[in-house]
Amino acid sequence: MFSYYGSKGKVVQLYPKPKFDTIIEPFAGSARYSLRFFENNIILVDAYKVIVDLWNYLIAAPAKDIRKLPNLPAGSRFKIEDFDCPGQYYLFGYLCNQGAAYARSQVSTRGSERFEYNKKNVINNLHKIRHWKVFHSDYKDISNLEATWFIDAPYQEGGHKYKHNKINYSELKKFILSRKGQVIACENMNAKWMNFTPMISMQGMKKKTVEALYSNYPTAFDNKQAKFKF
């Protein structure tokens, strides 16, 4: 619903479908996987309170409140006092900045160009998220429910751009392997802290990367013979 650094918007259709009625995202971000399967019981968790406040605002926001957000020219600065609540302010910051990893208070050129499109996209998706639940917490504190766990933590290479990027990958591996139900974990093939399976080669802003996943259930990628350039 909003542009976010590391979003899975371009590859979300490649991930396995959920096998359980409940989906839990311990590193929620823009929650593209949950949005694809929005009818499920969705639980989002994030350590970055900005993201939690933004999602809780969206879950309750009427469309008219999104519609009235102003399209400011590139370079314009804005402050939290200009908005109805912190969640609306954070949403505005992401709507007028493409692919930001943290909340910003100035309109980018690309963000200004896409603002009306981004706003309409939010409005068109509001009905999907009214039943979602969002919590501000560290991933290690989440109860081990039987669910589909979609774990898109900050990547070992590139995850430094997030506000909460201090990840102990040995601990995260134990967390992943201990989950009840279905587990889908995201990374790229430069990461060595788990055995990841390559999915697709993607051109980033500076170089190509290979998106990869770990799954405790078989996937379409397990026996796929593909050539990837690292």
Side-chain angles (χ1 to χ4, degrees), residues 18-23 34 36-43 128 131-132 148:
K19 295 183 178 294
F20 294 84
D21 292 337
T22 296
I23 297 173
S34 290
R36 186 179 182 214
F37 303 104
F38 66 90
E39 303 97 334
N40 289 52
N41 175 33
I42 305 295
I43 300 174
K128 298 178 181 179
H131 64 288
W132 291 16
T148 291

Side-chain angles (χ1 to χ4, degrees), residues 62-88:
K64 63 180 179 62
D65 285 2
I66 310 299
R67 200 172 286 117
K68 73 179 183 182
L69 294 174
N71 188 349
L72 302 179
S76 299
R77 292 190 173 275
F78 49 92
K79 54 186 183 298
I80 196 166
E81 291 80 11
D82 299 330
F83 297 87
D84 295 341
C85 63
Q88 188 183 70

